[in-house]
Amino acid sequence: MLNRNEMIRHRRQMQRRIRDVVAERRMALLADEDAAEAVDETSEDKSKQDCAA
């Protein structure tokens, strides 16, 4: 059986882990969005070059 201090420590540790996972997922999503935007920009540049030619 956990005493009160151990319960508090355990809860804080779990909250820290959840916060870390959420931050990792958020960073991964931002990286994916940045990569998608970079692909969109290069495809737009290519289509503009095709029109100019």
Side-chain angles (χ1 to χ4, degrees), residues 29-45:
L29 285 173
L30 289 174
D32 289 345
E33 288 176 3
D34 288 344
E37 286 178 8
V39 169
D40 289 343
E41 289 174 5
T42 56
S43 63
E44 286 177 10
D45 291 342

Side-chain angles (χ1 to χ4, degrees), residues 1-51:
M1 184 80 188
L2 298 175
N3 67 25
R4 182 171 172 76
N5 288 335
E6 290 171 335
M7 288 173 54
I8 292 170
R9 185 175 54 83
H10 183 70
R11 186 182 321 129
R12 287 182 178 161
Q13 185 179 24
M14 294 303 292
Q15 288 172 339
R16 203 173 306 124
R17 287 180 184 171
I18 292 169
R19 193 171 48 238
D20 290 346
V21 169
V22 169
E24 286 178 19
R25 290 182 182 175
R26 193 172 290 147
M27 293 301 289
L29 285 173
L30 289 174
D32 289 345
E33 288 176 3
D34 288 344
E37 286 178 8
V39 169
D40 289 343
E41 289 174 5
T42 56
S43 63
E44 286 177 10
D45 291 342
K46 287 180 182 178
S47 63
K48 287 178 185 176
Q49 289 174 354
D50 291 342
C51 291

